[in-house]
Amino acid sequence: MSFTENSGIFAGAHENGINDFITAFFDARPRYLHFGSSFFVPTTTINATNIPAISLGGLAPEIHFEIRLDRPKIDLHPDTFGFSIPPQSNEFAIEIQAVIQVGCYGKSIKDSRLTAKKTSIRLCGRGEIDRGFNDFGFTICEVVLKDIRPDDLGEALACLLRQIANAMLSGLRIPYRSIAINIDGSALGTLSPTTGPEILDNQVQFRGNFA
Amino acid sequence: MDDLLVAVDETAATNMVRAGQTFLGSMTRSGTSNIGPFGTTWTATANLVGGAVELQEPDIIRIANMTMNFSLGFSFEIDLSDILPDFCIPQVCLPIPFLPDICTPEICVNWPTIDVGPINHSGDVDVTGDFKILTTLDSTHWNVDVEIVDIPNLSLDAVSTGIIVLITASVALALLAVPFIGPFLALATGVLAATFGVAAITGWLGPILSLFLAGLTFPIYRQPAVQEVLPSSGPFDPSFAIRLVNLDASVQSSDEDELILIADIAPA
């Protein structure tokens, strides 16, 4: 069976290549791995993103916190890396180590010094391709935190961390033409996917035509 | 497993070839060569368009019935002494009674060398050739080129016939300007017509046009090795790029023939 089938072009990126794209993205834009309120991240830079502290409506000082994420690694279906949650059909699996710090005030009401309390946690998740008109990204649909009790605490934290992890991935949009090694252009016209992108055989694949 | 795999069908491959032909543009050659005993000086330009593209495993693109459009300008000299006998008009004397004879001088004619041309001709010829896919990396770009495997035979008889008509007319014009040619014009024309036959012109023109095909190479893919994936979107979001490494191109056949490009990715 041909690669292109009824289309003019087939492009496939193996999970090793996708992880290379991920490495290049987070090397260039590390702030997507580091979020913190002003106590931890005074201002947004290339290396870190400043986010608002949690306000208590003026009733008490704001709650400052910081989240640092390791650069993620993605496993495209079928399972290759043996992640805790293997990818299902047309899914990817992801595992991310996260370090969370919370700024804690002293026990006395007069003690306004903040001390950082740190913990680390490993996210195990799975997700789907987020299809765009000219590019695609990755959206985590489910995160599981192991060994968190009670279960509903684990679920609540998983929901929180899933949203943070999706913020981490939000900037990673890979153009179709990058997967197609820029083979389009004036010679072939504009590349327009007709099927996919989908996850199959450890690849992100799409087929398309040139307009 | 390669990081990236791209396959295009023959229709897309045809368009890549078309773009390569356009990129190649017009080629110019010049030189000297003989038609029979006559040395010519010529300049030619040519370009290649069209053709049916057929992909063949493992690394061949056959382009059938490409059109080579060419323009040719050439000139040459004919030393008429080589084809016409030199002759002398003898002295003629008129006897005068009681006086010395009045005589005309002997006039000898040494035929001159005449310039023919410049003759200009444009035409086209069908070319079918197999091209081998070559992948190279220069200092900045990956290049996938196609290089002709062998110089194909060219059918030039029709083109040669047209050139003969032009040569014949140019030679006739040049001869008319030669003094005393009148009685010898038919002889000169006959000798020259025998020299400028289809076989002679084809034998002269073939190597000229083959110069455009010898080693013919043009690109069908040329992209920077370092490829920007996303441009900068602000002071805190610089552009990010990847580097293509180990790029290779080939042809694979299954239920259809496809041009395959594979590559690995490395940090930029």
Side-chain angles (χ1 to χ4, degrees), chain B residues 17-49:
Chain B
V17 167
R18 297 276 184 270
Q21 290 169 330
T22 301
F23 179 86
L24 186 63
S26 286
M27 301 168 281
T28 300
R29 303 282 188 274
S30 59
T32 60
S33 54
N34 282 10
I35 305 175
F38 305 115
T40 69
T41 301
W42 53 265
T43 299
T45 61
N47 71 328
L48 293 160
V49 296

Side-chain angles (χ1 to χ4, degrees), chain A residues 2 4 10 12 14 29 181-182, chain B residues 3 5 7 221 227 238 255 258:
Chain A
S2 66
T4 56
F10 164 92
H14 188 264
R29 301 183 181 183
I181 56 171
N182 291 317
Chain B
D3 287 345
L5 185 149
Y221 172 86
Q227 298 197 347
D255 55 335
E258 296 169 316

Side-chain angles (χ1 to χ4, degrees), chain A residues 94-168:
Chain A
I94 189 168
E95 289 196 349
I96 309 167
Q97 187 71 24
V99 175
I100 301 171
Q101 292 201 97
V102 178
C104 287
Y105 291 96
K107 294 178 182 177
S108 164
I109 197 168
K110 297 178 183 177
D111 187 352
S112 61
R113 292 172 300 171
L114 274 179
T115 304
K117 299 295 183 185
K118 180 192 293 187
T119 185
S120 64
I121 194 165
R122 189 161 192 82
L123 286 73
C124 307
R126 58 183 186 85
E128 298 173 343
I129 295 287
D130 172 27
R131 299 175 181 80
F133 186 72
N134 292 314
D135 56 20
F136 68 94
F138 301 91
T139 297
I140 299 172
C141 302
E142 180 186 6
V143 165
V144 173
L145 304 176
K146 296 200 168 179
D147 302 325
I148 301 291
R149 295 288 183 269
D151 287 345
D152 52 2
L153 174 60
E155 291 170 8
L157 285 174
C159 174
L160 174 66
L161 290 169
R162 175 172 64 81
Q163 294 175 82
I164 292 170
N166 278 328
M168 170 192 72

Side-chain angles (χ1 to χ4, degrees), chain A residues 7-8 42 49 67 75 84 91 93 103 119 128 149 152 160 166 173 177 195:
Chain A
S7 300
T49 303
I67 302 167
D75 185 359
S84 300
E91 290 183 349
T119 185
E128 298 173 343
R149 295 288 183 269
D152 52 2
L160 174 66
N166 278 328
R173 305 293 304 184
R177 63 193 315 264
T195 62

